[in-house]
Amino acid sequence: MELMPFVLSVLFLSCVHGASSDSRYFTSMFTLGDSHIDVGNFLIMAAQVMPALTVWHDKPPYGMTFFGHPTGRVSDGRVTIDFIAEEFGLPLLRASLLNNSDVSRGVDFAVGGATAIDVDFYERNNLVQFKLLNNSLNVQLGWFEELKPSICNTTQVNTGCRGCFSKSLFFVGEFGVNDYNFIWMAGKSEDEVRSYVPRVVKNIAMGVEQYTNGCSPTMLTLRSNSSKTDYDHTGCLLDINRVARYHNSVLRVALGVLRRKYAHARIIFADFYNPIVTILENPGRFGVVGADALRTCCGGGGVYNWNISALCGMPGVPACKDPSAFVSWDGVHYTEAINRYIAQGWLHGPFADPPIHNVIG
Ligand SMILES: *[C@@H]1O[C@H](CO)[C@@H](O)[C@H](O)[C@H]1NC(C)=O
Ligand SMILES: *[C@@H]1O[C@H](CO)[C@@H](O)[C@H](O)[C@H]1NC(C)=O
Ligand SMILES: *[C@@H]1O[C@H](CO)[C@@H](O)[C@H](O)[C@H]1NC(C)=O
Ligand SMILES: *[C@@H]1O[C@H](CO)[C@@H](O)[C@H](O)[C@H]1NC(C)=O
Ligand SMILES: *[C@@H]1O[C@H](CO)[C@@H](O)[C@H](O)[C@H]1NC(C)=O
């Protein structure tokens, strides 16, 4: 079961502040999240827990633009955190489940399909009809706790902004995405989905700025019998974006609380929604032909080039010639070009509050 996020939430945490022109200011980076920044954990976990599950993003043309082969990333090349790592002279993060011994410069805990609410909630309430990987935000935080002793001398003080994480960048991405996705897919109404928002937000322990995408080719195809009035002027689905805006407002409140509570930390809210809106409002400026703005680069036909019987990675399913001229790579995830644009907007503005570079000077 490939997962179809359409809501994203991203948050950076850092202790670093004050002027610095040193591009290597961060000495390590630790990332939690879902498929948008997964660099291989889903493939490892699925192979161990659900060996019968067929996945497609371990096959070409995934990775065609940058790595030249599939890496477990769900894109044609690098994902946003790769561009952040490059910016600070850090190695591209490896998947935590590889058990790579050297995690001193960081590691990626993100797993495709990860939820903000623990997975047994979805199973217990029959919201999903398939087995979920146990990969929620709490589980990922647990992995981080387990790994800490090998990163840090735990006998030394390492609380607040002292100790060996004081020059680390923490990234909390995309939680809430799959939660809403599962609930929409269970056929719940907009009001019902709305009713889960406080719970999801509560579970996003650290709070997040919010992004949604009722614009994904996957959702648009699955809802293709919607009526004209269900879409906004860029062709995106209104109800999905309304719930996300509500989620936004709840999260904004949570942000204020967090900033007061963790006054010593720098909390950056990075926005995934507005970069996409910006592109969809004016695709030509980004080298995307208007007619392709909501179509996937890699896919097997249909209005949005997203076909559940012919997904990217399945035998014979073609990719477009130039992924950089598309927004969506496979119907859910963005092309490397878009990931780069988003990452630049987080580093330098305008898509982060404050931009990462403003935090370090
Ligand atoms: C990594 O270590 C965990 C815990 O010891 C183990 O369950 C898992 O199989 C290991 N992963 C790989 C890829 O070897
Ligand atoms: C998921 O993993 C956590 C931590 O290892 C564990 O406490 C929990 O019981 C697991 N949940 C499920 C549904 O397997
Ligand atoms: C860990 O920190 C303690 C206290 O500062 C120190 O005594 C000890 O030697 C350190 N151990 C390692 C392996 O660095
Ligand atoms: C299409 O519309 C019908 C009637 O409104 C609805 O029952 C059905 O679930 C819709 N199908 C999809 C794929 O959205
Ligand atoms: C979707 O893929 C299937 C299997 O390849 C194909 O038979 C069908 O025509 C495709 N649908 C569209 C709309 O292209």
Side-chain angles (χ1 to χ4, degrees):
M1 175 78 197
E2 184 49 45
L3 299 142
M4 295 167 280
F6 47 84
V7 183
L8 290 172
S9 326
V10 175
L11 168 68
F12 292 92
L13 292 163
S14 159
C15 294
V16 170
H17 56 281
S20 167
S21 53
D22 186 355
S23 70
R24 299 184 183 236
Y25 206 90
F26 295 111
T27 54
S28 59
M29 180 161 84
F30 299 90
T31 51
L32 311 174
D34 73 359
S35 59
H36 286 265
I37 61 160
D38 185 349
V39 299
N41 281 326
F42 183 90
L43 294 181
I44 296 168
M45 206 176 187
Q48 288 175 348
V49 186
M50 304 177 186
L53 184 75
T54 308
V55 290
W56 300 107
H57 70 274
D58 60 346
K59 300 183 177 60
Y62 284 90
M64 67 180 264
T65 300
F66 186 74
F67 300 96
H69 56 87
T71 63
R73 286 170 179 75
V74 201
S75 181
D76 57 312
R78 287 161 289 185
V79 295
T80 51
I81 55 166
D82 294 322
F83 292 109
I84 308 288
E86 285 180 356
E87 180 81 5
F88 294 108
L90 295 168
L92 299 190
L93 299 189
R94 303 190 63 195
S96 61
L97 298 180
L98 280 174
N99 298 338
N100 179 28
S101 56
D102 184 14
V103 292
S104 61
R105 305 193 72 194
V107 71
D108 179 26
F109 298 98
V111 194
T115 48
I117 301 175
D118 286 333
V119 298
D120 53 338
F121 172 82
Y122 292 99
E123 292 172 349
R124 218 173 42 237
N125 292 290
N126 291 319
L127 286 165
V128 291
Q129 305 309 320
F130 45 90
K131 184 92 190 105
L132 292 173
L133 289 180
N134 188 10
N135 58 8
S136 66
L137 172 56
N138 277 330
V139 171
Q140 293 182 28
L141 282 169
W143 293 342
F144 180 50
E145 287 300 320
E146 274 172 33
L147 212 60
K148 263 185 181 171
S150 56
I151 306 166
C152 245
N153 182 340
T154 48
T155 62
Q156 87 194 36
V157 177
N158 193 42
T159 53
C161 281
R162 288 179 289 169
C164 59
F165 291 115
S166 63
K167 287 198 164 189
S168 301
L169 183 62
F170 294 94
F171 180 99
V172 183
E174 283 107 52
F175 289 98
V177 175
N178 293 303
D179 297 83
Y180 297 127
N181 192 15
F182 290 146
I183 302 165
W184 280 115
M185 294 313 215
K188 301 291 181 192
S189 69
E190 182 178 342
D191 281 346
E192 287 171 304
V193 182
R194 251 178 100 87
S195 71
Y196 285 87
V197 169
R199 187 183 182 115
V200 167
V201 171
K202 187 164 155 262
N203 274 53
I204 302 171
M206 284 151 284
V208 276
E209 175 63 299
Q210 171 57 46
Y211 142 83
T212 180
N213 193 356
C215 318
S216 77
T218 302
M219 261 308 167
L220 288 163
T221 302
L222 293 174
R223 295 275 210 90
S224 54
N225 67 350
S226 301
S227 75
K228 246 190 191 140
T229 53
D230 293 335
Y231 299 93
D232 71 12
H233 69 284
T234 57
C236 302
L237 287 160
L238 283 165
D239 57 350
I240 290 177
N241 286 349
R242 268 196 305 268
V243 170
R245 277 198 299 276
Y246 172 60
H247 183 105
N248 267 352
S249 64
V250 178
L251 280 168
R252 263 182 246 285
V253 175
L255 164 65
V257 173
L258 284 168
R259 283 191 168 143
R260 282 191 294 278
K261 188 168 168 193
Y262 300 101
H264 59 270
R266 304 302 304 250
I267 300 180
I268 299 169
F269 278 72
D271 179 355
F272 235 123
Y273 178 60
N274 282 303
I276 302 302
V277 169
T278 304
I279 295 162
L280 294 182
E281 293 278 358
N282 200 346
R285 240 183 71 208
F286 298 89
V288 176
V289 176
D292 290 335
L294 296 174
R295 300 180 78 244
T296 73
C297 163
C298 181
V303 176
Y304 300 103
N305 196 32
W306 187 85
N307 179 346
I308 199 159
S309 321
L311 297 171
C312 186
M314 287 182 177
V317 174
C320 61
K321 284 235 159 47
D322 179 10
S324 73
F326 282 75
V327 177
S328 180
W329 162 247
D330 62 3
V332 181
H333 307 94
Y334 302 117
T335 57
E336 185 191 76
I338 298 303
N339 288 333
R340 181 200 302 271
Y341 173 70
I342 295 168
Q344 289 301 322
W346 293 345
L347 287 162
H348 303 285
F351 301 127
D353 172 27
I356 298 172
H357 272 289
N358 290 17
V359 169
I360 63 172

